[in-house]
Amino acid sequence: QVQLVETGGDSVQAGGSLRLSCTVSRSIYAGHCMAWFRQGPGKEREGIASIHIGRENTVVADSVKGRFTVSEDSVKDTVYLQMNSLRPEDTGMYLCAAILAYRGLCPLTPDDYTYWGQGTQVTVSS
């Protein structure tokens, strides 16, 4: 069983920054896809950013492009989401997800992912 644990959520003012971490309970290798999703109050789960481990291929949603960056540290089995210039509409529960084998660019569709963390809350006030 693969477990993912997200940390780093907090309450911040608009314009602030946060870095979220997702640590995986097993080693992550090239070919694994990791992604960040968020779910705001009353909203559907939205794909934010994905990364193909070891290949440095990333996909970032248009809604956060230029503000959010996804990266990985396979030595620490951890994926990060650096969030800058935060806005109130970025508020939500941020979840990490994984697929253990995938070819091509990692998707931002929730149904494609097998393993999920419990999430970490991000609240941005104006």
Side-chain angles (χ1 to χ4, degrees), residues 29-110:
Y29 299 105
H32 294 176
C33 277
M34 302 289 296
W36 287 96
F37 294 82
R38 72 181 175 196
Q39 190 157 14
K43 297 182 180 179
E44 293 187 355
R45 192 165 291 186
E46 174 190 10
I48 296 300
S50 66
I51 184 165
H52 215 153
I53 302 300
R55 300 175 185 173
E56 301 184 356
N57 292 333
T58 63
V59 178
V60 180
D62 289 342
S63 59
V64 302
K65 196 166 290 183
R67 300 188 297 123
F68 291 13
T69 304
V70 59
S71 61
E72 51 107 341
D73 185 338
S74 57
V75 173
K76 296 182 179 179
D77 299 323
T78 299
V79 174
Y80 303 98
L81 184 67
Q82 178 66 44
M83 307 188 295
N84 299 326
S85 302
L86 283 161
R87 305 168 180 169
E89 55 263 38
D90 294 320
T91 293
M93 182 68 72
Y94 282 70
L95 303 104
C96 179
I99 313 169
L100 298 188
Y102 198 87
R103 294 183 177 181
L105 292 176
C106 295
L108 289 180
T109 309

Side-chain angles (χ1 to χ4, degrees), residues 3-6 22 45 94-98 115-120:
Q3 294 183 325
L4 290 75
V5 178
E6 304 95 333
C22 172
R45 192 165 291 186
Y94 282 70
L95 303 104
C96 179
Y115 301 100
W116 290 85
Q118 294 297 309
T120 186

